[in-house]
Amino acid sequence: MPEAPDLEVIKEVLTRRVAGCKVSYAKVLKPTVLRSLAASNFPEDVTGRTVERIARRGKFLLLDLTPGRLLAINPMLTGAFQLCPPQARVFKRTCLVIGIGQKLELRYIDDRQMGLVYYVEPAQMAQVPRLNEQGPDVLDDDVSFDEFKNRLRPYYGEIKGVLTRGGFLSGIGNAYSDEILFSAGISPFRKRKSLSDEELHRLHRSAKQVTRDAVAVLRERMEETHHKIRDFLQVHNKGGQPCPRCGNKISQLTANQQITSYCRRCQPGMLIKS
């Protein structure tokens, strides 16, 4: 799942290479991912428009096309963005191809076609599911501790699940929730109501620091936008490896197609067999 750090750097790459360019053609290879609310014929309608701006809102990537169109892309669990020359091999999982000038293609690829691409007029943005239901962005400097704490109050479940709720803070998914909780020294299985103010302060600091640090790493290392770079993470998907803090074996569970990785010693809490 692309999360805020991934999408932030992808946004920056596309801004450098795509913003200001015209759409020369479009191909829909997997129609199930496209929701064209603005036009019945997406390829014909989008061709000739200029990519004015690329933005990110939580886990959505937004392409502002002039005049009067937007692409709102929610990659969900398995979507990715490939920026490549037109002659590059087309993966079987490629869903949508947008020609950028004469030398580039922006391709939306999705192994399971779980993500969705919305083609809308600005007035139709309210019709894009989940887009406007997101809370403040995890990379937003303006989220104070008091706001962070207040936004947590409506939630009662395990803290990992709360962190991934876009209505609380947007941009955090499965991988970075593991990293934030490890940094804060909090078990992913702790109930939100059980956390002390001191623990909430640690969680607030870690949410900002972990995601900002990840953006810095990805800026240096992201060469191709469709490659997920996660090897630098501390615990996520590293079950059985030594904890980088204490050396204890990292525990790992898989449930509902999602991995939870944590250190029992550094993140004390409920004991669950790994």
Side-chain angles (χ1 to χ4, degrees):
M1 174 191 293
E3 301 181 34
D6 310 288
L7 290 172
E8 185 68 17
V9 177
I10 290 169
K11 179 198 77 174
E12 294 172 0
V13 171
L14 295 185
T15 297
R16 291 194 298 269
R17 302 190 63 189
V18 172
C21 297
K22 281 188 179 270
V23 175
S24 50
Y25 55 86
K27 303 173 187 175
V28 181
L29 306 183
K30 308 283 186 185
T32 54
V33 306
L34 180 65
R35 302 289 185 272
S36 183
L37 308 183
S40 58
N41 190 330
F42 166 73
E44 181 180 301
D45 191 81
V46 76
T47 299
R49 298 184 186 274
T50 298
V51 183
E52 184 177 54
R53 186 174 70 100
I54 294 97
R56 179 183 65 82
R57 193 181 302 175
K59 296 178 189 174
F60 280 79
L61 198 67
L62 306 175
L63 278 70
D64 192 345
L65 305 167
T66 57
R69 296 288 188 268
L70 290 119
L71 278 169
I73 307 172
N74 182 1
M76 298 290 282
L77 290 175
T78 55
F81 303 89
Q82 182 185 17
L83 189 62
C84 61
Q87 61 269 28
R89 181 172 68 89
V90 178
F91 300 129
K92 288 183 179 180
R93 60 186 186 274
T94 301
C95 302
L96 186 69
V97 176
I98 298 174
I100 306 295
Q102 303 303 314
K103 296 182 179 180
L104 278 177
E105 285 186 349
L106 177 60
R107 301 173 181 174
Y108 175 68
I109 57 180
D110 197 327
D111 286 342
R112 302 181 194 171
Q113 299 175 49
M114 295 178 72
L116 291 169
V117 178
Y118 295 88
Y119 185 57
V120 297
E121 298 175 7
Q124 296 173 316
M125 290 289 277
Q127 298 180 45
V128 178
R130 299 189 180 95
L131 179 61
N132 298 310
E133 300 162 14
Q134 302 180 102
D137 195 89
V138 65
L139 291 169
D140 190 345
D141 290 334
D142 295 332
V143 182
S144 67
F145 172 70
D146 286 340
E147 181 180 2
F148 182 87
K149 184 178 177 180
N150 287 335
R151 295 192 68 85
L152 273 173
R153 284 201 173 101
Y155 301 98
Y156 293 91
E158 293 176 347
I159 189 60
K160 173 168 179 172
V162 174
L163 285 177
T164 61
R165 295 284 293 270
F168 161 56
L169 282 184
S170 61
I172 303 173
N174 191 49
Y176 283 97
S177 61
D178 281 351
E179 295 298 297
I180 290 166
L181 289 166
F182 175 71
S183 173
I186 296 171
S187 167
F189 310 109
R190 291 277 303 279
K191 299 292 186 181
R192 192 278 302 168
K193 290 185 70 175
S194 74
L195 299 178
S196 67
D197 262 16
E198 193 275 332
E199 289 172 319
L200 291 177
H201 272 288
R202 296 200 319 252
L203 192 63
H204 177 245
R205 289 193 299 268
S206 293
K208 290 186 175 184
Q209 194 63 52
V210 166
T211 51
R212 287 174 183 168
D213 289 349
V215 168
V217 172
L218 293 171
R219 280 181 181 142
E220 292 291 323
R221 293 188 51 192
M222 187 179 285
E223 296 180 1
E224 296 187 278
T225 53
H226 62 290
H227 286 166
K228 191 184 294 181
I229 302 170
R230 294 280 166 81
D231 59 339
F232 67 95
L233 298 183
Q234 298 282 288
V235 293
H236 180 72
N237 205 22
K238 295 189 176 179
Q241 297 182 33
C243 168
R245 188 176 294 155
C246 73
N248 194 46
K249 186 174 75 170
I250 294 170
S251 298
Q252 187 157 296
L253 304 172
T254 302
N256 299 322
Q257 299 182 322
Q258 292 194 328
I259 290 169
T260 293
S261 310
Y262 65 105
C263 174
R264 294 187 189 186
R265 185 178 293 165
C266 297
Q267 299 167 262
M270 184 186 300
L271 293 177
I272 294 182
K273 294 182 179 180
S274 61

